[in-house]
Amino acid sequence: MRPIRPGDRGPAVTEIRTVLAGLDLLAPAAPDADDFDTHTERAVRAFQQSRGLSVDGRVGAETWRALDAARWRLGARTLYHAVPEPLTGEDVRSLQERLLEMGYDVGRADAIYGVRTSRAVAQFQREVGLTPDGSCGPHTMNALRRLGRKVVGGRPQWLRESDAIRQSGPTLVGRTVVIDPGHGGTDPGVVVPDGSLRWSEADLVHDLASRLEGRLAASGVRVQLTRGPTPDDCLPDVGRAELANSLGADVFISLHVDGHANPEAEGVATYHYGTDNGVTSATGERLAGLVQREIVARTGLRDCRTHAKAWDLLRLTRMPAVRVEVGYLTSPDDRARLTDPRFRDRVVDAIVAAVQRMYFPVERDVPTGSIDVSELRAVVAAGTVVD
Ligand SMILES: [Zn+2]
């Protein structure tokens, strides 16, 4: 859909304003106010920021879905596992976060009432003596209110996730890594003309992805790309996340290059799942930190740091997932590097080293930039760590 943007009028704008007013982001106005004014734009930006969405002040498909889901407050409706179209919303996310805090395994707080959430609710109901039907109605809500507040502290799911990784040992052999070259098909991503040449993000990241595929495969990793070099259509992010989930991937790496109207914008940034209210994937955050530091150390790209985002791609993937924006195609400096295949090999070395370090126990981790990726396979086979 075309994004709804400042200056627009109509019933959709009224609806957006109503939801934003319900979230206290916008002063309540006349119910028929239908203009997307500057107050509305500011409220949309604040909402996007709070949800970890790209902040552009417009309501495109992703922001629309988030607004739609934000209407629901926990306790306002009965939640249950609906098939085939599961219930989604902020109330589901609140419930999942509450259950996670109490140590129940709901997976990720993804705001979708799926089988795992239903099972966790049933387990909670059994333990407090309610009928374990896996749905969350008034009785279960009461029990949660009575018990939920007492439990504070760690996020058991994230601890479980990092435990699972620690216990699985340092070897890469037999892991499944899904590499996601962004865009493709009808969507070339960032495109920059360069003399008689024309560089596109979709082509560059596919090249990076296939180099990375080769390196990881040589280390015994099972690798799957989310698309080929010239797909007919552009797979949406939701589809890419579903693909990684269906393959049972251990790690998900999405590759992009950035673009900006200002040619001075440059550098590398890495994104992992997280929201402003402190919910984060600890392993995703760790992987993002490793990828970011290795790339900065091995390539000299400017460090634009790591950031938590709640993008569909990161929210819906059930394994440590990162999205890397490897430099700006619109920056003459970054472009000169990105279009050099030797530079792309260094980026790939950095990512391989980061994936390897994910599986080193924290106390046995090695300094950034120190892993000789060409010797990685031997090192891993011998079960020792490079000093
Ligand atoms: Zn991109």
Side-chain angles (χ1 to χ4, degrees):
M1 79 184 214
R2 172 190 169 276
I4 303 164
R5 53 179 74 137
D8 284 354
R9 297 190 84 99
V13 177
T14 308
E15 220 175 315
I16 291 166
R17 294 183 54 123
T18 308
V19 178
L20 291 169
L23 296 168
D24 290 330
L25 291 169
L26 191 63
D32 55 349
D34 70 346
D35 52 327
F36 201 127
D37 58 9
T38 52
H39 298 288
T40 312
E41 185 188 355
R42 210 171 303 142
V44 168
R45 286 178 181 276
F47 175 76
Q48 289 171 324
Q49 182 117 42
S50 75
R51 291 299 187 279
L53 300 165
S54 301
V55 179
D56 62 2
R58 300 168 170 201
V59 179
E62 203 170 16
T63 301
W64 181 267
R65 271 199 302 278
L67 278 170
D68 195 43
R71 296 166 198 265
W72 296 104
R73 290 274 157 276
L74 186 56
R77 58 174 174 172
T78 293
L79 295 170
Y80 58 95
H81 179 223
V83 182
E85 196 63 30
L87 295 178
T88 63
E90 273 314 289
D91 51 349
V92 179
R93 191 200 307 279
S94 305
L95 173 66
Q96 289 172 323
E97 288 179 357
R98 192 75 65 81
L99 289 165
L100 279 171
E101 279 167 1
M102 296 169 66
Y104 293 93
D105 179 12
V106 301
R108 183 166 289 186
D110 57 4
I112 303 168
Y113 204 99
V115 147
R116 222 157 146 185
T117 302
S118 168
R119 246 187 248 136
V121 168
Q123 194 191 342
F124 169 78
Q125 291 171 319
R126 208 172 290 119
E127 283 166 17
V128 297
L130 294 169
T131 312
D133 62 1
S135 69
C136 184
H139 294 299
T140 306
M141 268 313 302
N142 270 336
L144 275 168
R145 276 197 204 98
R146 271 184 285 122
L147 296 174
R149 291 290 171 209
K150 293 182 197 153
V151 188
V152 290
R155 303 265 169 188
Q157 165 61 13
W158 306 131
L159 296 180
R160 260 197 296 274
E161 205 175 274
S162 31
D163 273 354
I165 282 181
R166 254 198 302 281
Q167 284 161 14
S168 63
T171 181
L172 288 180
V173 177
R175 314 261 183 208
T176 301
V177 173
V178 170
I179 306 170
D180 172 44
H183 311 275
T186 48
D187 171 17
V190 181
V191 176
V192 174
D194 182 8
S196 61
L197 297 169
R198 174 182 171 278
W199 298 106
S200 86
E201 176 183 4
D203 291 345
L204 277 172
V205 295
H206 188 271
D207 176 89
L208 273 173
S210 34
R211 285 168 199 268
L212 182 55
E213 178 184 26
R215 289 303 184 78
L216 286 171
S219 306
V221 174
R222 273 196 299 265
V223 187
Q224 174 84 37
L225 267 55
T226 56
R227 68 168 174 91
T230 53
D232 291 334
D233 300 309
C234 182
L235 188 61
D237 281 354
V238 174
R240 296 175 196 239
E242 277 167 5
L243 178 62
N245 290 342
S246 71
L247 291 166
D250 296 294
V251 169
F252 179 86
I253 298 168
S254 183
L255 298 170
H256 287 250
V257 294
D258 226 328
H260 198 277
N262 182 348
E264 285 179 22
E266 59 173 26
V268 53
T270 308
Y271 301 88
H272 60 89
Y273 176 77
T275 65
D276 272 4
N277 50 16
V279 177
T280 183
S281 159
T283 46
E285 193 175 352
R286 170 135 195 272
L287 178 61
L290 291 168
V291 167
Q292 178 71 14
R293 290 200 301 277
E294 288 285 351
I295 291 181
V296 168
R298 290 170 191 256
T299 66
L301 283 172
R302 179 190 293 276
D303 185 357
C304 299
R305 303 195 305 277
T306 63
H307 305 272
K309 291 284 173 191
W311 293 328
D312 283 347
L313 189 74
L314 303 173
R315 183 169 63 88
L316 299 174
T317 37
R318 288 198 220 98
M319 68 291 310
V322 296
R323 169 168 158 172
V324 198
E325 297 274 351
V326 192
Y328 281 74
L329 201 46
T330 44
S331 147
D333 283 355
D334 281 5
R335 183 166 66 244
R337 294 156 133 166
L338 283 165
T339 54
D340 176 356
R342 286 165 306 179
F343 177 86
R344 296 201 292 276
D345 276 335
R346 285 209 296 283
V347 172
V348 163
D349 278 352
I351 298 174
V352 173
V355 171
Q356 175 62 78
R357 286 176 67 189
M358 263 290 280
Y359 292 105
F360 288 164
V362 175
E363 63 279 8
R364 285 172 65 198
D365 198 9
V366 299
T368 298
S370 68
I371 294 182
D372 181 346
V373 176
S374 63
E375 289 175 15
L376 192 57
R377 197 172 185 182
V379 169
V380 169
T384 54
V385 173
V386 188
D387 287 318

